[in-house]
Amino acid sequence: MAADKAHGTQSVGVDIPWDAVLDWGLALASSGLILSGVFFVLAGALGVLRMPDFFTRMHAAGMTDTLGAEFILFGLILQTGFSQMTLKLLLVAFFLFLTSPTATHAIANAALKSGLKPQLGTYKAPDLSQIEGSSNEADSDKAGGH
Amino acid sequence: MTDGFLLKVYVAATILLMVGMALILVRLIAGPTLYDRALAVNSFGTKIVLFLCMFSLIIGRADGVDIAILYALMNFIATVAILKFFRYRALSEPMAPLPASAKFDALRERRRNERSR
Amino acid sequence: MVRFAVVLSIIMSLYWLTLSFYFEPLIMGFGVASVLFTVGLCYRMRILDAETVPYLHMPTTLAYFRWLFVEVVKANFAVVKAVLRPDMEISPTLLTVPTPQTSDIGKTMFANSITLTPGTVSMDIGEDGILVHALLSEMANADDFKEMGERSGWSVGEETSL
């Protein structure tokens, strides 16, 4: 497909290397997708680490499973062209898409049934300056406990 | 032409994924409840699937993706199996309330004693 | 019954071809044998019904997934913002969402969509609806859930909703 395009434009006389443009476009698109997917994965991992109780951590983990995984897999699919690898990567994406919400629901339901109480109401992270001592008196008034 | 650039992107993304895996591992070790740990195992498995896909593109062989498919399925089954095991203390029991048998009464009694101790 | 068997055989054959990608007669023969074996097992287990072989209405389901993807992206950015804020202001909320769907697969689709959207997780399903845990209180908006419920019912081919 790319070769046809290249011939079509070269006959006009404009010497644009369409193959290279297409390659670099695909490479940039897929690397953008992969890196944004990795960003979501890292944000999800950070959320799992930071959130106050189990039921809120669950949401952060779900973020990794949806956009993080799908973005990375679609970024990889852009690079494989159309081959067996593409179909297999699509299968991986499909299975993750199906199983991750079910697994999250299973864990949440088990936690609820075992009597774990979700922490409700507004929560704010404790201010670092309050924990480490009073290094920063100026903004200690906006730090709300929970 | 773009292979060198893409390889760099893949390697960078793989290293960042490993950082994410390390963060999840901290939660796995520190998690106060069992469910935090089950969640961390599940999340870790998803990251391993992504890691395997990336790795098989880095080395340029399709074999890693097969393992990734298997891992995605096994990860789900393992999560459900862990939850089921910790709810019923047996894998062969159906998803139903505990049967009122002498064996399970003894088991429950023993667990209650262990907890109160 | 025959319909389900045929659809299951087609899906299994495509799955085998995707995973093997060898087009030699011997290996294809193995594939045919294993597909027939699997369908036979399903028949013997009496699970050859609409739940094992869900007849998803492809056009509406794909349209629904496209709509859902936009919602998922929006919710993802909200959750990322909440996670990365230094003071991490969150307001976990519980609410019960009624399920207007008539079929089991519609309800499953609805509950799965709720869980798939980051920030809301379906925790339990009962007579009066789905118990949902939301990360931010503005995500626990009954109207949004109503729209999602109607659309998920419509996506599996229910006549009553939308």
Side-chain angles (χ1 to χ4, degrees):
Chain A
M1 202 170 71
D4 295 344
K5 230 180 203 172
H7 285 302
T9 45
Q10 267 164 10
S11 63
V12 178
V14 188
D15 199 19
I16 298 175
W18 282 110
D19 278 353
V21 169
L22 199 71
D23 269 11
W24 276 104
L26 263 184
L28 285 180
S30 72
S31 55
L33 273 177
I34 289 171
L35 290 180
S36 52
V38 165
F39 166 73
F40 279 113
V41 167
L42 275 179
L46 203 65
V48 170
L49 211 56
R50 280 190 74 195
M51 290 283 180
D53 78 325
F54 164 72
F55 289 98
T56 46
R57 278 171 207 144
M58 203 166 60
H59 297 296
M63 197 162 65
T64 305
D65 294 339
T66 53
L67 266 201
E70 304 297 323
F71 271 7
I72 290 179
L73 288 173
F74 281 109
L76 294 181
I77 283 172
L78 281 187
Q79 278 311 310
T80 51
F82 189 78
S83 60
Q84 190 195 7
M85 196 104 147
T86 316
L87 293 175
K88 281 183 184 169
L89 285 172
L90 274 177
L91 262 185
V92 174
F94 178 68
F95 284 144
L96 280 183
F97 181 77
L98 274 192
T99 56
S100 69
T102 318
T104 309
H105 168 78
I107 300 174
N109 195 5
L112 188 75
K113 286 281 161 63
S114 80
L116 201 66
K117 288 276 180 294
Q119 173 186 327
L120 299 179
T122 317
Y123 170 85
K124 272 190 179 178
D127 205 329
L128 275 181
S129 58
Q130 268 196 341
I131 294 174
E132 286 165 0
S134 49
S135 61
N136 228 345
E137 249 92 359
D139 49 357
S140 63
D141 55 333
K142 76 178 179 190
H146 55 282
Chain B
M1 184 163 40
T2 55
D3 286 355
F5 169 70
L6 276 171
L7 197 65
K8 274 178 204 153
V9 170
Y10 290 158
V11 171
T14 312
I15 290 169
L16 287 176
L17 260 185
M18 283 163 112
V19 172
M21 280 153 89
L23 291 179
I24 289 289
L25 213 54
V26 172
R27 177 50 71 198
L28 179 67
I29 294 164
T33 65
L34 166 79
Y35 303 102
D36 287 301
R37 297 201 165 106
L39 186 74
V41 167
N42 191 21
S43 199
F44 197 75
T46 309
K47 287 177 182 55
I48 286 183
V49 170
L50 297 176
F51 175 82
L52 281 172
C53 291
M54 208 90 92
F55 186 68
S56 69
L57 251 82
I58 287 177
I59 63 171
R61 293 177 58 169
D63 308 355
V65 187
D66 289 331
I67 306 170
I69 292 173
L70 267 183
Y71 211 101
L73 292 174
M74 291 298 288
N75 187 26
F76 173 64
I77 295 169
T79 306
V80 175
I82 289 169
L83 293 172
K84 200 173 168 185
F85 180 73
F86 277 97
R87 189 153 161 204
Y88 300 106
R89 298 281 155 177
L91 284 178
S92 59
E93 286 304 312
M95 279 289 207
L98 280 175
S101 71
K103 198 176 103 191
F104 277 97
D105 282 347
L107 194 76
R108 238 176 297 172
E109 194 62 47
R110 205 170 64 216
R111 254 194 286 159
R112 206 171 296 141
N113 289 342
E114 275 169 18
R115 220 176 284 150
S116 62
R117 210 178 294 149
Chain C
M1 185 68 97
V2 177
R3 218 172 42 165
F4 292 129
V6 169
V7 172
L8 188 63
S9 318
I10 292 171
I11 292 173
M12 290 280 167
S13 312
L14 288 180
Y15 187 46
W16 171 280
L17 282 181
T18 305
L19 287 184
S20 103
F21 237 64
Y22 285 108
F23 297 101
E24 295 152 26
L26 177 69
I27 311 248
M28 297 267 273
F30 287 152
V32 170
S34 61
V35 166
L36 287 181
F37 181 65
T38 311
V39 175
L41 272 185
C42 284
Y43 176 71
R44 274 200 65 193
M45 284 171 79
R46 306 263 191 284
I47 56 171
L48 214 55
D49 53 19
E51 247 174 60
T52 316
V53 192
Y55 260 110
L56 292 184
H57 295 233
M58 267 308 177
T60 56
T61 309
L62 285 181
Y64 174 68
F65 279 149
R66 211 176 52 215
W67 176 81
L68 186 67
F69 182 73
V70 177
E71 294 294 303
V72 165
V73 171
K74 275 194 278 186
N76 251 306
F77 278 106
V79 176
V80 163
K81 229 185 282 172
V83 166
L84 293 186
R85 272 177 67 164
D87 63 338
M88 197 172 62
E89 198 179 336
I90 55 173
S91 43
T93 318
L94 278 181
L95 81 160
T96 307
V97 179
T99 47
Q101 294 83 23
T102 46
S103 62
D104 280 350
I105 187 139
K107 280 178 190 163
T108 310
M109 185 72 104
F110 185 34
N112 249 359
S113 317
I114 289 176
T115 313
L116 202 60
T117 317
T120 51
V121 169
S122 58
M123 298 212 298
D124 201 2
I125 184 159
E127 289 298 313
D128 50 344
I130 302 174
L131 183 65
V132 174
H133 184 275
L135 182 65
L136 305 169
S137 57
E138 60 258 32
M139 282 174 175
N141 187 353
D143 290 340
D144 293 351
F145 284 117
K146 196 156 172 272
E147 190 188 355
M148 182 183 269
E150 282 170 357
R151 279 179 187 269
S152 58
W154 167 76
S155 75
V156 292
E158 285 180 11
E159 309 275 319
T160 52
S161 40
L162 213 79

